[in-house]
Amino acid sequence: MSDLDDLLLQLRDPDPQRRLLAAAALDDVPSTPEIEQALRDAAGDRDAKVRRAAMHSLTCAHCKPDGCLAPAAVDVVVDALLHDPSIRNRRWAAGITMFGQCGTGARLVEAYREVLATSDDRVLRERAEIFLARTAA
């Protein structure tokens, strides 16, 4: 079994700390469809820290050896922005997208409009306003 196979198995470990470490370790690995799917699954983990580490591993082009985002990164971030149970994770998703780091596509624009229409969180609203102002300019 390879180290990569071991990390993918650890993403399904009962221990959230092991899942967190595996998600974080996959941050510096070039994306493959298998890794991307495992991280997408981990972005729905019951533990907020595991979800955030998985999202970071999917979305941080700076950390990737090839400098490219996983194709599913925007979908995962939009879902977190709108639905993550953790306000910290929703704010994190807004923080990594508010300056166009994950593009300015229609899906993000609609998500930020929904944030403005439904959220009473000051930080989320501010980040939504920044994103929408930048895309309108």
Side-chain angles (χ1 to χ4, degrees):
M1 180 178 294
S2 72
D3 290 341
L4 180 58
D5 291 333
D6 190 41
L7 287 173
L8 294 174
L9 279 175
Q10 286 178 32
L11 278 177
R12 296 188 304 272
D13 194 279
D15 179 3
Q17 185 64 28
R18 287 180 57 94
R19 295 193 309 273
L20 173 63
L21 293 172
L26 289 168
D27 186 30
D28 297 318
V29 176
S31 189
T32 67
E34 183 180 33
I35 291 170
E36 184 179 324
Q37 185 59 54
L39 289 170
R40 285 185 73 160
D41 293 344
D45 195 274
R46 63 188 171 273
D47 185 275
K49 290 179 181 178
V50 174
R51 290 193 306 273
R52 190 167 48 250
M55 288 186 291
H56 176 87
S57 291
L58 277 170
T59 61
C60 187
H62 175 73
C63 294
K64 294 294 178 196
D66 59 5
C68 295
L69 290 179
V74 172
D75 292 338
V76 170
V77 172
V78 166
D79 185 60
L81 175 66
L82 298 175
H83 306 293
D84 198 282
S86 163
I87 189 63
R88 290 184 68 198
N89 283 358
R90 290 195 310 275
R91 288 174 175 171
W92 179 88
I96 65 154
T97 58
M98 72 181 180
F99 293 115
Q101 302 95 308
C102 292
T104 57
R107 184 127 155 79
L108 271 171
V109 170
E110 288 305 313
Y112 274 114
R113 287 182 180 150
E114 185 174 334
V115 166
L116 283 180
T118 61
S119 179
D120 59 356
D121 183 75
R122 179 188 56 80
V123 173
L124 284 179
R125 293 182 63 77
E126 287 173 357
R127 291 176 179 178
E129 289 168 355
I130 289 168
F131 176 85
L132 292 170
R134 287 179 54 82
T135 59

